Amino acid sequence: LSIEQLLGINKFIVDEEAAHIVLNKEICAVCAGKPCTVACPAGLYTLKDGKISFDYAGCLECGTCRVICPQAGAINWQYPRGGFGINYRYG
Ligand code: SF4
């Protein structure tokens, strides 16, 4: 199976009331490298007209963006509330 097919097997229960990752778009705007746009394995960070577009639905909860972000305070990252988030199903 391809990576995309494996990711498609997972089940996501999206918390529509409380995002577990919130970006400070003002800080993101001054980030030169924007490494999240290439490091997120789920491809949730994309560039549109030079600005970061992000959707927390589909997050694998790997923490890569939290670790790799060079801008302090740009990413407010928490695990989803109980009962929400990813259920891995490829094992
Ligand atoms: Fe992407 Fe991982 Fe960050 Fe989720 S935690 S948005 S999958 S890099």
Side-chain angles (χ1 to χ4, degrees):
L1 295 177
S2 69
I3 292 176
E4 289 76 16
Q5 289 171 318
L6 287 170
L7 290 174
I9 296 172
N10 297 323
K11 180 182 178 187
F12 299 90
I13 302 174
V14 179
D15 188 344
E16 305 283 356
E17 296 181 8
H20 72 286
I21 300 175
V22 178
L23 304 185
N24 182 320
K25 298 267 175 114
E26 292 182 5
I27 298 176
C28 292
V30 300
C31 178
K34 296 180 176 42
C36 54
T37 60
V38 294
C40 173
L44 300 181
Y45 294 86
T46 55
L47 278 176
K48 288 183 181 169
D49 299 325
K51 296 179 180 175
I52 289 179
S53 177
F54 174 72
D55 185 355
Y56 64 94
C59 175
L60 304 174
E61 299 169 28
C62 66
T64 301
C65 56
R66 180 184 189 180
V67 172
I68 202 171
C69 180
Q71 299 288 335
I75 299 177
N76 183 341
W77 197 108
Q78 302 172 53
Y79 281 107
R81 295 189 295 166
F84 295 100
I86 187 170
N87 287 311
Y88 286 101
R89 291 185 164 181
Y90 58 75

